[in-house]
Short mmCIF file of all heavy atoms in Angstrom, two decimals:
data_model
loop_
_atom_site.label_atom_id
_atom_site.label_comp_id
_atom_site.label_asym_id
_atom_site.label_seq_id
_atom_site.Cartn_x
_atom_site.Cartn_y
_atom_site.Cartn_z
N GLU V 1415 7.24 100.34 -52.07
CA GLU V 1415 5.82 100.14 -51.82
C GLU V 1415 5.03 99.99 -53.12
O GLU V 1415 4.02 99.29 -53.15
CB GLU V 1415 5.26 101.32 -51.02
CG GLU V 1415 5.66 101.31 -49.58
CD GLU V 1415 5.18 102.52 -48.83
OE1 GLU V 1415 4.61 103.44 -49.46
OE2 GLU V 1415 5.38 102.56 -47.61
N LEU V 1416 5.50 100.60 -54.18
CA LEU V 1416 4.73 100.61 -55.43
C LEU V 1416 5.14 99.54 -56.43
O LEU V 1416 4.41 99.30 -57.39
CB LEU V 1416 4.83 101.99 -56.08
CG LEU V 1416 4.22 103.13 -55.26
CD1 LEU V 1416 4.47 104.45 -55.95
CD2 LEU V 1416 2.75 102.90 -55.02
N MET V 1417 6.28 98.91 -56.23
CA MET V 1417 6.71 97.87 -57.16
C MET V 1417 5.90 96.59 -56.91
O MET V 1417 5.64 96.24 -55.77
CB MET V 1417 8.20 97.58 -57.02
CG MET V 1417 9.07 98.68 -57.59
SD MET V 1417 10.80 98.32 -57.43
CE MET V 1417 11.08 97.40 -58.90
N PRO V 1418 5.53 95.88 -57.96
CA PRO V 1418 4.64 94.72 -57.79
C PRO V 1418 5.34 93.39 -57.50
O PRO V 1418 4.70 92.35 -57.57
CB PRO V 1418 3.94 94.65 -59.16
CG PRO V 1418 4.97 95.15 -60.11
CD PRO V 1418 5.72 96.22 -59.36
N TYR V 1419 6.62 93.41 -57.16
CA TYR V 1419 7.35 92.15 -56.99
C TYR V 1419 7.29 91.65 -55.56
O TYR V 1419 7.21 92.42 -54.61
CB TYR V 1419 8.81 92.34 -57.39
CG TYR V 1419 8.98 92.84 -58.80
CD1 TYR V 1419 9.62 94.03 -59.04
CD2 TYR V 1419 8.49 92.11 -59.88
CE1 TYR V 1419 9.78 94.50 -60.33
CE2 TYR V 1419 8.64 92.57 -61.16
CZ TYR V 1419 9.28 93.77 -61.39
OH TYR V 1419 9.43 94.22 -62.66
N ARG V 1420 7.35 90.33 -55.40
CA ARG V 1420 7.30 89.70 -54.09
C ARG V 1420 8.57 89.97 -53.28
O ARG V 1420 8.54 90.00 -52.05
CB ARG V 1420 7.13 88.19 -54.26
CG ARG V 1420 6.76 87.49 -53.00
CD ARG V 1420 6.80 86.00 -53.16
NE ARG V 1420 7.93 85.53 -52.35
CZ ARG V 1420 8.78 84.59 -52.68
NH1 ARG V 1420 8.66 83.98 -53.82
NH2 ARG V 1420 9.74 84.24 -51.89
N ALA V 1421 9.66 90.21 -53.94
CA ALA V 1421 10.94 90.44 -53.27
C ALA V 1421 11.01 91.82 -52.63
O ALA V 1421 11.94 92.10 -51.88
CB ALA V 1421 12.08 90.27 -54.26
N CYS V 1422 10.05 92.69 -52.89
CA CYS V 1422 10.10 94.05 -52.35
C CYS V 1422 9.91 94.08 -50.84
O CYS V 1422 10.51 94.91 -50.16
CB CYS V 1422 9.04 94.91 -53.01
SG CYS V 1422 9.41 95.33 -54.69
N TYR V 1423 9.07 93.21 -50.30
CA TYR V 1423 8.76 93.28 -48.88
C TYR V 1423 9.97 93.02 -47.98
O TYR V 1423 10.23 93.80 -47.07
CB TYR V 1423 7.60 92.36 -48.53
CG TYR V 1423 7.17 92.45 -47.10
CD1 TYR V 1423 6.59 93.62 -46.61
CD2 TYR V 1423 7.38 91.41 -46.22
CE1 TYR V 1423 6.23 93.74 -45.29
CE2 TYR V 1423 7.01 91.51 -44.90
CZ TYR V 1423 6.42 92.68 -44.44
OH TYR V 1423 6.07 92.78 -43.12
N PRO V 1424 10.75 91.95 -48.20
CA PRO V 1424 11.93 91.76 -47.34
C PRO V 1424 12.97 92.88 -47.49
O PRO V 1424 13.61 93.27 -46.51
CB PRO V 1424 12.53 90.43 -47.80
CG PRO V 1424 11.49 89.77 -48.58
CD PRO V 1424 10.56 90.81 -49.07
N ILE V 1425 13.10 93.44 -48.69
CA ILE V 1425 14.04 94.53 -48.90
C ILE V 1425 13.52 95.80 -48.22
O ILE V 1425 14.28 96.56 -47.63
CB ILE V 1425 14.29 94.74 -50.40
CG1 ILE V 1425 14.97 93.50 -50.97
CG2 ILE V 1425 15.11 95.99 -50.66
CD1 ILE V 1425 15.08 93.48 -52.46
N PHE V 1426 12.21 96.00 -48.26
CA PHE V 1426 11.58 97.13 -47.56
C PHE V 1426 11.85 97.05 -46.07
O PHE V 1426 12.23 98.03 -45.44
CB PHE V 1426 10.08 97.12 -47.84
CG PHE V 1426 9.32 98.19 -47.11
CD1 PHE V 1426 9.23 99.46 -47.63
CD2 PHE V 1426 8.68 97.92 -45.90
CE1 PHE V 1426 8.53 100.45 -46.96
CE2 PHE V 1426 7.99 98.90 -45.23
CZ PHE V 1426 7.91 100.18 -45.76
N LYS V 1427 11.69 95.87 -45.49
CA LYS V 1427 11.95 95.68 -44.06
C LYS V 1427 13.41 95.95 -43.72
O LYS V 1427 13.73 96.52 -42.68
CB LYS V 1427 11.56 94.27 -43.63
CG LYS V 1427 10.08 94.07 -43.51
CD LYS V 1427 9.65 92.65 -43.20
CE LYS V 1427 10.47 91.94 -42.18
NZ LYS V 1427 9.95 90.61 -41.84
N LEU V 1428 14.31 95.53 -44.61
CA LEU V 1428 15.73 95.72 -44.38
C LEU V 1428 16.13 97.20 -44.44
O LEU V 1428 16.89 97.67 -43.59
CB LEU V 1428 16.51 94.92 -45.42
CG LEU V 1428 17.96 94.66 -45.16
CD1 LEU V 1428 18.12 93.85 -43.88
CD2 LEU V 1428 18.56 93.90 -46.31
N VAL V 1429 15.60 97.93 -45.40
CA VAL V 1429 15.89 99.36 -45.52
C VAL V 1429 15.31 100.11 -44.32
O VAL V 1429 15.94 101.01 -43.75
CB VAL V 1429 15.34 99.91 -46.86
CG1 VAL V 1429 15.39 101.42 -46.89
CG2 VAL V 1429 16.11 99.34 -48.02
N TYR V 1430 14.11 99.73 -43.93
CA TYR V 1430 13.46 100.36 -42.78
C TYR V 1430 14.26 100.11 -41.50
O TYR V 1430 14.42 100.99 -40.66
CB TYR V 1430 12.04 99.82 -42.65
CG TYR V 1430 11.17 100.58 -41.69
CD1 TYR V 1430 10.62 101.81 -42.05
CD2 TYR V 1430 10.91 100.08 -40.43
CE1 TYR V 1430 9.83 102.51 -41.17
CE2 TYR V 1430 10.12 100.78 -39.54
CZ TYR V 1430 9.57 101.98 -39.92
OH TYR V 1430 8.80 102.69 -39.04
N SER V 1431 14.80 98.90 -41.37
CA SER V 1431 15.61 98.55 -40.21
C SER V 1431 16.91 99.35 -40.18
O SER V 1431 17.35 99.80 -39.12
CB SER V 1431 15.91 97.06 -40.22
OG SER V 1431 16.81 96.72 -39.22
N ALA V 1432 17.54 99.52 -41.33
CA ALA V 1432 18.77 100.30 -41.40
C ALA V 1432 18.51 101.76 -41.01
O ALA V 1432 19.32 102.38 -40.32
CB ALA V 1432 19.38 100.22 -42.79
N ALA V 1433 17.37 102.30 -41.43
CA ALA V 1433 17.04 103.68 -41.07
C ALA V 1433 16.74 103.80 -39.58
O ALA V 1433 17.10 104.80 -38.95
CB ALA V 1433 15.85 104.15 -41.89
N ALA V 1434 16.11 102.79 -39.01
CA ALA V 1434 15.84 102.81 -37.58
C ALA V 1434 17.14 102.72 -36.79
O ALA V 1434 17.30 103.39 -35.76
CB ALA V 1434 14.92 101.65 -37.20
N ASN V 1435 18.10 101.92 -37.28
CA ASN V 1435 19.42 101.86 -36.65
C ASN V 1435 20.11 103.22 -36.69
O ASN V 1435 20.73 103.65 -35.72
CB ASN V 1435 20.31 100.83 -37.34
CG ASN V 1435 19.88 99.42 -37.09
OD1 ASN V 1435 19.10 99.15 -36.18
ND2 ASN V 1435 20.36 98.51 -37.89
N ALA V 1436 19.99 103.89 -37.82
CA ALA V 1436 20.65 105.19 -37.98
C ALA V 1436 20.05 106.24 -37.06
O ALA V 1436 20.77 107.02 -36.45
CB ALA V 1436 20.54 105.65 -39.43
N SER V 1437 18.73 106.26 -36.94
CA SER V 1437 18.11 107.28 -36.11
C SER V 1437 18.26 106.98 -34.63
O SER V 1437 18.44 107.89 -33.82
CB SER V 1437 16.63 107.43 -36.48
OG SER V 1437 15.93 106.25 -36.15
N HIS V 1438 18.23 105.71 -34.25
CA HIS V 1438 18.31 105.37 -32.83
C HIS V 1438 19.75 105.37 -32.32
O HIS V 1438 20.05 105.97 -31.29
CB HIS V 1438 17.68 104.00 -32.58
CG HIS V 1438 17.67 103.61 -31.14
ND1 HIS V 1438 18.65 102.84 -30.59
CD2 HIS V 1438 16.81 103.90 -30.15
CE1 HIS V 1438 18.40 102.66 -29.31
NE2 HIS V 1438 17.27 103.29 -29.01
N ASN V 1439 20.65 104.71 -33.03
CA ASN V 1439 22.02 104.55 -32.54
C ASN V 1439 22.89 105.77 -32.80
O ASN V 1439 23.72 106.13 -31.97
CB ASN V 1439 22.67 103.32 -33.18
CG ASN V 1439 21.95 102.05 -32.80
OD1 ASN V 1439 21.22 102.00 -31.81
ND2 ASN V 1439 22.14 101.02 -33.60
#
């Protein structure tokens, strides 16, 4: 969230998705 690079948003979504998979499945 704090890094100023454009590439952070897709990586953020991917990490968030992996955590959602872990908690749900």
Side-chain angles (χ1 to χ4, degrees):
E1415 286 176 354
L1416 297 176
M1417 287 180 87
Y1419 303 120
R1420 193 189 112 220
C1422 288
Y1423 184 67
I1425 296 171
F1426 177 84
K1427 285 175 42 175
L1428 196 61
V1429 169
Y1430 192 77
S1431 173
N1435 289 344
S1437 66
H1438 183 265
N1439 297 340

